[in-house]
């Protein structure tokens, strides 16, 4: 590139040479392509064109051709609408374009690939390496050298190259060549004609017995049956059709809410299954002797107390026995018979390990899905937009139903409109003054909302203490059970009420912002119109929920007031969490009913407006995250809480979907939601899962479990159960003292933790550096490609102008062959560098 | 013979036998399993009129008949698929059995994403000139959004969309997208392999 060569283009029109050789490009596979070109062709008189490009050194800057001065400035017109048919033909025969359509070019490409593959398998001599390092040149050779340009020649070349490969490589190459089957068969015949082993290889695969065939047909019959079963699969695949329907009607942003419901459901099913198999089922099989259950009144479904208190639902029911252990009767293990079962089932260990492992796996899944969506959003060296991917990968060819096809079209259209609208709104920018006004309003709104959060938290705190006093009072006076339980419901009621009402207040706040500051109007208006998180809205709501939850967690663990008088505080906390989950569900239903159904009726009947309420994704998603946090917090205290959450999510899906279809309208202005799921998962991971994990770890490590109930009774902390188990293991079996040693030196020692985190940090740092280097190289390569592209345009334009000049100069002196068949044109671009 | 009868029974007594050699060859050259090839053969011969079923391997099914397949009936790219996979010399887009197998092979789940992207490019290349230019992209978008007047994008949106696609994927800035640029874009989409199978 440092030496820009000057070219001389000498055009010699050689009409005779044209008809003799078949072109590599105008094969039968092309049949009716290039309509436009062919039409132009018939009007033009040009049949063949041979170009010779001769490079002159710098010492010959003077061009012999008269046309040199007539060249236009390159780079002005990138879309080249004015090119003549000849230029277009030359363009069409460029290697980068023929590869997309012509058989000859495909064969050439695979010839090159085979050659490269072969070189790689056998160590190449140095000069060959040099050649293969320039594959485009090789291809160019093959593509344009008239001596070898026929299809047959290329094919035989490819065959020779293929023959030198290993049989497995060869058949794979043959399989992956994008040629028609007939072509492949010819290739294969040529291959097997020249070499025996392939033939023998295939012969062996034929079933030798005549019944092999009937077996095939029996298999075919079975397959038919299998396919019928498979066609029932969409019914089994949960909510596939419902999701498509939603996506097609309401766009991907609303769809992302329902996908999120589905994701959460999967998490809960997983959690539930682990706990069910390792803890709940075994405890149910070995029920402890318990007090006679209280009568079922029905209020238990709301409060989780009473009848449910001594059931599998709560921590207190689980025992600290070792199942399957013959030594259980005797206090010391020395009297055990030798034929003891090898693996006694230690219930406390199972309990803590099930919770721990399920949390660990959930953490890995969350981080994995988060990193994947982050990776998709921030791929190294990729351009920012993803419109091209949307277009090229949009169509799902599996969709065959007419109605589904329509839905898919609808879906794609909505998505495209979303993407384009987002792009337009991004390009709008605000002035400095506008920004200043925006910031002021923002600060004001934040101050207001933070103070409301503080107010809410204080209210919850004092109210819970007050309710506790009231409850004690009732208990002392000996009021009825029913009344006592009903009092328990008041606190969850208040919290859920706050959780439901405050977001509406924040919505009002946003409305006020919108009126107050015309500057933010565009932004907030768009956000509000979509029922999407105005960026101000989401954190306020989130902060409120998380702060309230943090306060409650503190109250539970410190046991200052709440649960302080219960004999089994874990069960008490579990019950509280159960109540919160149920109350949250009820308020979501009420919100759906009033916020969507009644509001729609009011809008339609009273206000006589066509408009319908829009689905508030941000608020709904936050409610989901809140519910999931409650579930995670409660897993240790109520192992069946994930089951409750599962039921809740299932019902929620159908109720929300019905309400959406009946009451809500599709987004009036489409909005892009590609990063929505990333945001959701991140929110789920960071405040929610991390908070729950910290809460549980603290509980396991340093909170003293109840003395008289639960699997960990009598222990200092839950973590101690693992420690005592290791000691018991060491005593019972001296062969595994190494395990105790490992436990003592690696797990209990903090040095390992520091070491591992140090290594992790180093790895992360190296990765960042590698990515940075790759980015730099990618940028350089992109620049180079862009330069090459400009060079290409430059050359094309030169070529074009030379040709035009030629035609203008000597229209009479040349003899043309207008009678040439339309499909017979060919262009040869012969380089001699 | 025993095998012929078994075959007839399995195929409802209406089709001829696929030669064993050919079966093995197809198995080697396509991404289909033996059963899938036999099933394809059965379905192909069902498309033929009764009198031609005896020599289904050499017969050609007209395009109108191919388009009655449930997999292609509603597909907006049905004409392009027929065009790309047909090897007919008259340009009537009729399909031989081998073309049919080719199509199923490319759309099968086991086909590599390389070959899928190659054929996707050819399907999207409406004027068969080896590159995706503005007209191709416009047609492609119209196919995706539906052909009706009310379902199309507005002119402004279309212009913006095509401009964006070209900016994103036309690496060498020549105004069109060639195969390698197309494959470059596709490589950024890891789920392209689910690009679809036409099989039942």
């Amino acid at each position: 590139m440092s030496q820009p060569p000057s070219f001389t283009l000498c055009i010699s029109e050689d009409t005779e040479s044209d008809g003799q050789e078949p072109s590599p490009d105008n094969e039968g596979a092309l049949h009716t392509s290039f309509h436009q070109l062919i039409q132009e062709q018939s009007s033009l008189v040009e049949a063949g064109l041979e170009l010779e490009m001769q490079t002159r050194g710098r010492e010959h800057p003077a061009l012999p051709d008269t046309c040199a001065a007539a060249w236009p400035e390159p780079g002005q017109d990138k879309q080249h609408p004015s090119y003549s048919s000849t230029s277009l033909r030359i363009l069409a025969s460029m290697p980068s374009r023929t590869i997309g359509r012509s058989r000859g070019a495909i064969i050439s490409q695979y010839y090159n690939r085979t050659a490269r593959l072969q070189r790689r398998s056998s160590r190449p001599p140095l000069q060959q390496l040099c050649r293969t390092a320039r594959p485009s040149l090789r291809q160019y050779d093959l593509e344009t050298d008239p001596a070898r340009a026929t299809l047959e020649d290329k094919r035989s070349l490819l065959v020779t190259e293929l023959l030198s490969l290993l049989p497995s490589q060869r058949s794979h190459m043959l399989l992956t060549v994008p040629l028609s089957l007939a072509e492949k068969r010819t290739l294969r015949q040529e291959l097997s004609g020249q070499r025996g082993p392939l033939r023998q290889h295939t012969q062996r695969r034929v079933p030798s017995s005549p019944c092999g065939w009937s077996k095939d047909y029996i298999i075919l019959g079975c397959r038919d049956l299998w396919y019928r079963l498979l066609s029932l699969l969409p019914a089994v695949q949960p909510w596939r059709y419902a999701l498509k329907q939603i996506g097609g009607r309401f766009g991907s942003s609303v769809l992302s809410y329902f996908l999120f419901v589905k994701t959460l459901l999967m998490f809960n099913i997983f959690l539930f299954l682990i706990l069910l198999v390792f803890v709940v089922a075994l405890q149910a099989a070995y029920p402890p002797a318990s007090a006679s259950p209280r009568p079922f009144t029905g209020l238990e479904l709301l409060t989780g107390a009473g009848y449910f208190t001594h059931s599998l639902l709560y921590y207190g029911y689980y025992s600290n026995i070792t199942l399957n252990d013959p030594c259980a009767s005797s206090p010391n293990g020395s009297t055990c018979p030798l034929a003891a079962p090898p693996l006694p089932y230690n219930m406390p260990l199972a309990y803590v390990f099930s919770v721990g492992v399920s949390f660990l796996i959930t953490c890995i899944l969350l981080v994995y899905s988060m990193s994947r969506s982050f990776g998709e959003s921030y791929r190294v060296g990729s351009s920012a937009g993803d419109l091209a991917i949307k277009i090229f990968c949009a169509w799902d060819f599996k969709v065959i139903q007419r109605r589904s096809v329509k839905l898919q079209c609808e879906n794609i259209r909505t998505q495209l409109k979303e993407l384009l609208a987002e792009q337009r709104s991004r390009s709008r920018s605000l002035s400095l003054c506008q920004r200043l006004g925006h910031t002021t309003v923002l600060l004001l709104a934040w101050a207001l909302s933070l103070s409301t959060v503080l107010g809410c938290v204080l209210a919850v705190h004092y109210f819970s203490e007050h309710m506790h006093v009231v409850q004690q009072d009732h208990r002392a006076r000996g009021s009825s059970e029913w009344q006592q339980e009903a009092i328990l419901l008041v606190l969850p009621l208040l919290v859920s009420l706050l959780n439901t009402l405050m977001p509406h207040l924040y919505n009002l706040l946003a409305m006020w912002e919108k009126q107050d500051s015309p500057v933010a109007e565009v932004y907030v208006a768009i956000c509000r119109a979509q029922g999407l998180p105005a960026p101000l809205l989401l954190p306020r709501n989130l902060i409120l929920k998380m702060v309230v939850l943090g306060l409650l967690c503190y109250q539970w663990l410190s046991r200052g007031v709440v649960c302080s008088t219960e004999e089994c505080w874990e069960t008490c906390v579990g019950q509280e969490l159960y109540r919160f989950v149920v109350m949250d569900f009820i308020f979501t239903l009420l919100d759906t009913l009033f916020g969507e159904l009644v509001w729609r009726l009011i809008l339609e009947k009273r206000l006589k407006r066509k408009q319908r309420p829009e689905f508030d994704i941000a608020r709904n998603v936050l409610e989901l995250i809140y519910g999931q946090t409650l579930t995670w917090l409660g897993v240790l205290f109520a192992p069946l809480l994930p089951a409750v959450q599962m039921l809740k999510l299932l019902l929620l899906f159908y109720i929300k979907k019905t309400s959406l279809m009946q009451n809500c309208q599709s987004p009036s202005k489409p909005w892009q939601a590609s990063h929505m799921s990333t945001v959701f998962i991140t929110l789920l991971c960071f405040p929610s899962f991390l908070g729950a994990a910290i809460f549980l770890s603290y509980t396991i490590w340093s909170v003293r479990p109840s003395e008289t109930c639960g699997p960990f009774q009598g222990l200092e902390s839950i973590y101690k159960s693992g420690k005592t188990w290791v000691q018991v293991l060491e005593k019972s079996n001296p062969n595994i003292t190494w395990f105790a040693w490992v436990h003592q030196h690696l797990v209990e020692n903090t040095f390992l933790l520091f070491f591992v985190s140090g290594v992790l940090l180093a790895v992360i740092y190296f990765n960042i550096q590698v990515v940075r280097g790759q980015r730099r190289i990618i940028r350089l390569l992109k620049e180079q490609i862009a330069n090459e592209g400009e060079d290409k345009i430059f050359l094309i334009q030169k070529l074009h102008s030379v040709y035009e000049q030629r035609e203008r100069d000597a229209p009479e002196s040349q003899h043309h062959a207008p009678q040439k068949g339309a499909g017979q044109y060919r262009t040869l671009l012969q380089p001699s560098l | 013979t025993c095998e012929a009868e078994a075959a007839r029974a399995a195929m409802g007594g209406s089709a001829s036998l696929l030669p064993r050699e050919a079966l093995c060859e197809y198995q080697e050259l396509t991404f289909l399993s033996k059963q899938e090839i036999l099933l394809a053969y059965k379905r192909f011969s069902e498309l033929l009129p009764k009198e031609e079923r005896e020599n289904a391997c050499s017969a050609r099914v007209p395009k109108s008949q191919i388009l009655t397949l449930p997999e292609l009936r509603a597909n907006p790219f049905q004409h392009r698929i027929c065009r790309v996979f047909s090897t007919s010399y008259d340009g009537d887009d009729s399909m031989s059995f081998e073309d049919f197998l080719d199509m199923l092979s490319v759309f099968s789940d086991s086909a590599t994403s390389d070959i899928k992207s190659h054929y996707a490019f050819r399907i999207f290349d409406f004027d068969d000139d080896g590159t995706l230019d503005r007209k191709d992209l416009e047609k492609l978008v119209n196919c995706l959004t539906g052909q009706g007047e009310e379902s199309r994008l507005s002119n402004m949106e279309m212009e913006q969309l095509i401009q964006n696609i070209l900016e994103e994927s036309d690496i060498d800035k020549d105004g069109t997208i060639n195969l390698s640029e197309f494959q470059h874009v596709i490589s950024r989409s890891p789920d392209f392999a689910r690009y679809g199978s036409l099989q039942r």
Side-chain angles (χ1 to χ4, degrees), chain B:
Chain B
T1 60
C2 140
E3 45 185 288
E5 259 162 29
R8 290 240 158 76
M11 293 186 166
S14 57
S16 68
L17 212 58
L18 185 62
R20 177 190 298 180
E21 301 252 316
L23 181 66
C24 288
E25 204 168 10
Y26 292 149
Q27 203 184 338
E28 200 172 309
L29 294 177
T30 62
F31 291 96
L32 304 172
S33 70
K34 195 182 271 181
Q35 284 80 32
E36 283 167 332
I37 293 170
L38 289 175
L39 182 69
Y41 188 71
K42 184 184 159 202
R43 295 193 67 187
F44 184 77
S45 31
E46 279 166 9
L47 292 175
L48 285 168
K50 281 231 156 45
E51 60 274 15
E52 280 185 57
R53 284 187 190 173
E54 282 304 314
N55 48 358
C57 278
S58 52
R60 299 191 80 88
V61 174
K63 182 181 173 183
S64 56
Q65 208 48 37
I66 289 282
L67 293 184
T68 58
L69 283 171
E71 287 81 359
L72 288 179
R73 207 182 291 146
N75 196 316
F77 297 99
Q78 47 178 341
H79 300 292
R80 286 302 306 161
I81 292 175
C82 281
R83 168 62 54 88
V84 166
F85 287 100
S86 165
T87 52
S88 161
Y89 285 92
D90 340 321
D92 61 353
D93 297 345
S94 62
M95 278 204 188
S96 68
F97 176 58
E98 289 186 356
D99 300 341
F100 187 68
L101 268 189
D102 233 3
M103 179 173 82
L104 293 182
S105 164
V106 169
F107 282 108
S108 78
D109 284 329
S110 44
T112 59
S113 76
D114 214 28
I115 205 160
K116 274 179 195 275
S117 60
H118 184 98
Y119 277 98
F121 180 81
R122 286 177 60 178
I123 286 171
F124 295 159
D125 182 16
F126 285 83
D127 55 5
D128 283 320
D129 68 345
T131 60
L132 303 183
D133 50 25
R134 283 175 163 266
K135 274 185 196 142
D136 288 328
L137 290 176
E138 193 175 330
K139 277 185 191 164
L140 168 60
V141 174
N142 281 337
C143 270
L144 289 175
T145 58
Q147 296 284 3
E149 199 56 50
E150 75 286 353
S151 59
R152 286 188 188 194
L153 298 182
S154 69
N155 277 343
M156 194 190 70
E157 281 173 326
M158 181 67 86
E159 185 58 33
Q160 189 194 353
L161 182 63
I162 289 175
Q163 194 59 42
N164 274 307
I165 295 172
L166 286 178
E167 266 168 32
E168 280 171 26
S169 42
D170 182 20
I171 303 169
D172 62 2
K173 306 289 174 216
D174 65 345
T176 60
I177 299 167
N178 61 35
L179 180 67
S180 32
E181 286 163 349
F182 181 79
Q183 284 177 331
H184 181 81
V185 173
I186 296 297
S187 72
R188 277 160 44 197
S189 161
D191 55 352
F192 189 70
R194 66 144 182 82
Y195 192 60
S197 69
L198 277 174
Q199 283 186 309
R200 245 203 320 188

Side-chain angles (χ1 to χ4, degrees), chain A residues 392 583 804:
Chain A
F392 294 146
M583 208 47 88
E804 267 191 345

Side-chain angles (χ1 to χ4, degrees), chain A residues 559-685:
Chain A
R559 278 176 287 156
V561 244
V562 186
C563 294
S564 57
T565 53
E566 302 283 326
E567 61 175 13
C568 194
W569 66 269
E570 287 94 345
T571 300
C572 170
V573 172
Q575 284 173 346
E576 287 267 310
L577 281 162
Y578 177 87
R579 282 193 285 274
F580 275 104
V581 169
V582 171
M583 208 47 88
D584 181 52
F585 178 55
I586 290 170
F587 269 83
T588 312
L589 290 191
L590 287 178
D591 189 42
T592 312
L593 187 71
F594 286 105
E596 286 169 10
L597 180 69
V598 176
W599 185 234
R600 173 184 71 109
L601 291 179
I602 289 174
L603 277 180
E604 278 183 357
K605 302 271 167 350
R606 290 267 151 198
L607 305 176
K608 303 278 179 218
R609 271 195 241 163
K610 278 276 167 205
Q611 205 184 4
R612 286 176 160 197
E614 279 172 8
F615 192 72
D616 192 345
I617 300 164
R619 198 160 47 80
N620 280 301
V621 163
L622 278 183
E623 265 160 24
L624 285 181
I625 290 177
Y626 174 72
Q628 189 56 43
T629 317
L630 288 176
T631 313
W632 276 329
L633 288 176
V635 163
L636 191 68
F637 309 111
L640 281 181
L641 206 57
V644 178
Q645 173 79 354
M646 259 164 62
L647 276 180
K648 179 182 146 183
L649 288 174
L650 271 176
L651 288 175
L652 209 60
F653 185 91
Y654 288 106
I655 291 165
K656 282 281 175 192
K657 191 198 147 217
T658 317
S659 165
L660 182 75
M661 291 293 179
Q662 298 295 324
N663 303 325
C664 298
Q665 66 176 21
S666 58
S668 46
K669 204 182 269 177
W671 189 259
Q672 139 78 358
S674 70
H675 298 292
M676 290 287 270
S677 39
T678 316
V679 172
F680 296 164
I681 291 281
T682 314
L683 283 181
L684 186 69
C685 189

Side-chain angles (χ1 to χ4, degrees), chain A residues 199-216:
Chain A
R199 197 79 198 151
Q200 284 171 9
H201 172 68
T202 59
Q203 285 292 339
R204 239 177 283 130
R205 291 173 61 172
V206 179
S208 49
S209 75
C211 290
W213 269 88
S214 53
K215 202 178 92 194
D216 280 346

Side-chain angles (χ1 to χ4, degrees), chain A residues 390-679:
Chain A
K390 274 269 150 52
I391 291 291
F392 294 146
C393 309
W395 195 256
D396 183 0
F397 281 79
K398 276 181 175 155
V399 175
I400 56 170
Q401 273 185 330
R402 224 171 260 280
R403 203 167 152 216
S404 330
V405 167
K406 231 177 173 173
L407 262 180
Q408 197 177 358
C409 282
E410 218 175 299
N411 213 339
I412 291 171
R413 187 171 56 243
T414 323
Q415 256 184 14
L416 287 181
K417 285 190 183 226
E418 278 177 14
L419 281 167
L420 294 172
E422 188 204 28
Q423 211 180 33
R424 273 198 298 271
S425 74
R426 223 182 334 179
S427 58
R428 246 177 246 157
S429 59
L430 303 170
S431 74
L432 183 75
C433 184
Q434 285 173 329
R435 254 181 235 153
L436 207 72
H438 191 193
T439 319
T440 325
V441 173
L442 203 121
L443 283 176
L444 210 70
W446 264 103
L448 206 70
S449 51
L450 282 182
S451 53
T452 54
V453 168
L454 196 70
C456 286
V457 170
L458 285 177
V460 169
H461 180 69
Y462 288 112
F463 190 74
S464 73
E465 288 189 351
H466 174 70
M467 283 322 292
H468 186 69
V469 173
V470 171
Q471 199 194 346
Q472 294 296 337
D473 194 36
H474 272 272
R475 200 173 281 178
R477 278 190 290 154
S479 351
S480 67
E481 292 262 312
W482 199 87
Q483 215 170 354
Q484 280 188 29
E485 279 182 13
I487 285 171
L488 292 174
L489 281 177
V490 180
L491 180 67
L493 201 80
L494 176 81
V495 172
S496 298
L497 197 70
L498 283 180
N499 272 336
T500 315
L501 288 185
M502 290 312 283
H504 289 292
L505 182 76
Y506 296 146
N507 270 353
L508 282 180
L509 211 65
M511 297 257 274
W512 166 73
E513 263 165 34
K514 176 183 147 191
Q515 285 173 354
D516 206 54
S517 70
V519 283
E521 192 171 350
V522 183
Y523 199 47
V524 177
I526 291 173
C527 292
R528 281 211 36 77
Q530 308 326 309
L532 257 206
L536 319 168
L537 222 64
L538 190 69
R540 284 178 205 161
N541 201 349
L542 186 72
I543 286 172
L544 173 74
K545 286 189 159 73
M546 291 305 143
V547 168
V548 169
L549 270 186
L551 174 80
L552 289 171
C553 286
Y554 170 74
Q555 284 189 345
W556 290 326
L557 284 193
S558 68
R559 278 176 287 156
V561 244
V562 186
C563 294
S564 57
T565 53
E566 302 283 326
E567 61 175 13
C568 194
W569 66 269
E570 287 94 345
T571 300
C572 170
V573 172
Q575 284 173 346
E576 287 267 310
L577 281 162
Y578 177 87
R579 282 193 285 274
F580 275 104
V581 169
V582 171
M583 208 47 88
D584 181 52
F585 178 55
I586 290 170
F587 269 83
T588 312
L589 290 191
L590 287 178
D591 189 42
T592 312
L593 187 71
F594 286 105
E596 286 169 10
L597 180 69
V598 176
W599 185 234
R600 173 184 71 109
L601 291 179
I602 289 174
L603 277 180
E604 278 183 357
K605 302 271 167 350
R606 290 267 151 198
L607 305 176
K608 303 278 179 218
R609 271 195 241 163
K610 278 276 167 205
Q611 205 184 4
R612 286 176 160 197
E614 279 172 8
F615 192 72
D616 192 345
I617 300 164
R619 198 160 47 80
N620 280 301
V621 163
L622 278 183
E623 265 160 24
L624 285 181
I625 290 177
Y626 174 72
Q628 189 56 43
T629 317
L630 288 176
T631 313
W632 276 329
L633 288 176
V635 163
L636 191 68
F637 309 111
L640 281 181
L641 206 57
V644 178
Q645 173 79 354
M646 259 164 62
L647 276 180
K648 179 182 146 183
L649 288 174
L650 271 176
L651 288 175
L652 209 60
F653 185 91
Y654 288 106
I655 291 165
K656 282 281 175 192
K657 191 198 147 217
T658 317
S659 165
L660 182 75
M661 291 293 179
Q662 298 295 324
N663 303 325
C664 298
Q665 66 176 21
S666 58
S668 46
K669 204 182 269 177
W671 189 259
Q672 139 78 358
S674 70
H675 298 292
M676 290 287 270
S677 39
T678 316
V679 172

Side-chain angles (χ1 to χ4, degrees), chain A residues 705-716:
Chain A
S706 310
E707 292 290 340
T708 53
C709 66
F712 306 103
Q713 46 191 289
L715 288 171
E716 233 174 84

